[in-house]
Amino acid sequence: MRIRPVLALPAVAAALLLAVPQSGSAAARPARCAEKAVTVHAHRSADPTLLHLGVTNRSTRACTVDRIPTVVFGDLDGAALPVPAGWSGPYLLDAGRTAYAALRTIADPADPEARRVEAISVSADPARFGRTFTARELGVGRVVLVWEPVTSWWKSSQAAADRALR
């Protein structure tokens, strides 16, 4: 059976149209934030078991960071676990905006089993270095106490991040 050229032409045209990226496709999504475009910050909160984290997009365009901050404690193995549990994914950070997270380091500051580290490292993207904060920079004294640390996902406000860990 022979295919008539008149019928084949619309089929080829339709295939070509499907191959062209449409608006709303991956090409239109904001790119990952460049490391130089974001500032990571951390400080103690009024609650001695929590630290407050933030990431600010200093660029003029929206970009994405990982939705879960990566927090590592000194030379200890592993990172803080996310609450709720989940996987990496993009978090949209508009130009000039800040995202917030809460980090629970220890439930009871008097816990004799608490580990002690002199610094923590925080990154908005696990593939990038982020920034290291000493205990003194965080305002918690000489050491950060650590025992089963958990972190919230990035949130639009510090209050929302704190609520995620309650």
Side-chain angles (χ1 to χ4, degrees):
M1 179 158 127
R2 204 169 111 191
I3 298 178
R4 296 181 186 244
V6 171
L7 296 176
L9 187 56
V12 170
L16 286 173
L17 282 175
L18 290 174
V20 175
Q22 304 297 313
S23 63
S25 70
R29 291 186 192 137
R32 289 200 130 189
C33 295
E35 192 162 5
K36 65 183 180 184
V38 297
T39 301
V40 176
H41 42 97
H43 60 276
R44 68 180 228 164
S45 73
D47 180 339
T49 67
L50 290 180
L51 294 175
H52 286 161
L53 311 177
V55 60
T56 302
N57 178 358
R58 295 180 297 113
S59 75
T60 58
R61 295 182 180 202
C63 57
T64 63
V65 295
D66 196 274
R67 68 179 164 197
I68 302 169
T70 301
V71 183
V72 179
F73 295 84
D75 60 355
L76 300 178
D77 290 339
L81 297 174
V83 172
W87 302 102
S88 292
Y91 179 88
L92 181 64
L93 193 55
D94 288 328
R97 301 295 300 201
T98 299
Y100 304 89
L103 172 69
R104 180 177 299 120
T105 58
I106 189 164
D108 177 7
D111 189 337
E113 294 193 38
R115 307 288 296 274
R116 288 156 175 76
V117 297
E118 294 178 4
I120 66 168
S121 296
V122 180
S123 177
D125 183 334
R128 303 219 172 106
F129 294 109
R131 181 171 169 205
T132 298
F133 300 89
T134 65
R136 291 199 192 284
E137 287 175 302
L138 294 168
V140 297
R142 290 182 17 240
V143 293
V144 178
L145 298 175
V146 182
W147 186 252
E148 298 183 327
V150 295
T151 184
S152 69
W153 294 17
W154 293 117
K155 303 288 183 181
S156 60
S157 73
Q158 192 64 66
D162 289 351
R163 279 191 304 273
L165 293 187
R166 287 197 178 117

